[in-house]
Amino acid sequence: MRTTLTLDDDVTAMLNRARADSAGDFKKLVNDLLRAGMKQSHLPKSARRKYRTPATNAGRCLVGSVSNVQQVLEQAEGPHVR
């Protein structure tokens, strides 16, 4: 089937990145990605892969307490912040 789609900018960017990573045909890439997405959307929620945000160590806290916003701003941007 031949059709015309208007893609959002973020989708276009993701497709361009995927195209750069693969040596295949653009049409095949789009069809493969649509197939994978459609298969995932039809799975029950319990069978879908859950995404977990990777943890990272940000180091020690540089201020005594982050509940004092003024102290945090002064530490980050200087004493003349308003």
Side-chain angles (χ1 to χ4, degrees):
M1 176 177 104
R2 188 178 271 274
T3 189
T4 300
L5 294 174
T6 302
L7 302 175
D8 292 340
D9 292 339
D10 62 320
V11 175
T12 302
M14 288 188 284
L15 276 172
N16 287 333
R17 281 193 299 270
R19 183 175 12 175
D21 292 342
S22 71
D25 177 40
F26 184 69
K27 176 181 164 183
K28 180 178 178 342
L29 173 68
V30 171
N31 280 305
D32 290 346
L33 291 171
L34 283 171
R35 258 186 221 99
M38 295 295 289
K39 285 179 185 175
Q40 280 290 316
S41 70
H42 285 85
L43 292 175
K45 285 192 180 229
S46 61
R48 295 182 194 171
R49 278 191 311 157
K50 293 183 174 83
Y51 179 78
R52 296 190 58 99
T53 303
T56 185
N57 183 352
R60 68 177 182 85
C61 184
L62 299 176
V63 293
S65 170
V66 291
S67 61
N68 184 339
V69 175
Q70 186 62 36
Q71 180 187 7
V72 173
L73 289 174
E74 284 179 8
Q75 179 79 23
E77 299 179 9
H80 302 294
V81 171
R82 288 279 166 180

